[in-house]
Amino acid sequence: MIRLALAFALTLGLPAAAQGVFISPPDSVMNPPGLSGDLSGKRLRVAHELRLMGFGNVDIAGMSNRKVALLDNAIHSGRPNGERLMRVRSILSGGGLLQRGLDRLSRP
């Protein structure tokens, strides 16, 4: 009888995760309201990371694939936070004078 009571007490004391119960997070956590519903894949990840870095008002849907790839590379480069922020800010602003000139020359 004592063993049964002890087993019952231990079962009640276990956290929900240990009992195999999974509760999914709210939809507002998985898909924040500031993100567009038509984003998916890399664009959605980059938009989420930019929001976490403080760049919440960026139009990811209108960006070129090249710029999204550059942002993804800069965000996940493993460099210090300050350097990552400077790179992201530079990419979002269009780069420096030399980069803008090269982009104009490379357009068809």
Side-chain angles (χ1 to χ4, degrees), residues 14-27:
L14 291 177
Q19 295 176 7
V21 176
F22 176 75
I23 300 171
S24 62
D27 193 42

Side-chain angles (χ1 to χ4, degrees), residues 13-94:
L14 291 177
Q19 295 176 7
V21 176
F22 176 75
I23 300 171
S24 62
D27 193 42
S28 62
V29 172
M30 296 304 288
N31 299 317
L35 297 178
S36 176
D38 60 344
L39 296 178
S40 63
K42 186 177 286 194
R43 287 184 186 269
L44 182 64
R45 281 195 323 266
V46 169
H48 181 69
E49 291 290 332
L50 288 177
R51 281 187 68 243
L52 293 177
M53 293 175 81
F55 300 100
N57 57 353
V58 177
D59 178 30
I60 297 290
M63 284 187 189
S64 66
N65 290 338
R66 178 183 176 271
K67 195 171 243 188
V68 172
L70 284 172
L71 284 170
D72 187 49
N73 188 18
I75 290 170
H76 298 102
S77 64
R79 297 188 181 271
N81 286 336
E83 191 172 333
R84 288 188 316 170
L85 285 172
M86 286 189 308
R87 284 179 177 219
V88 168
R89 191 174 293 122
S90 173
I91 293 167
L92 290 175
S93 69

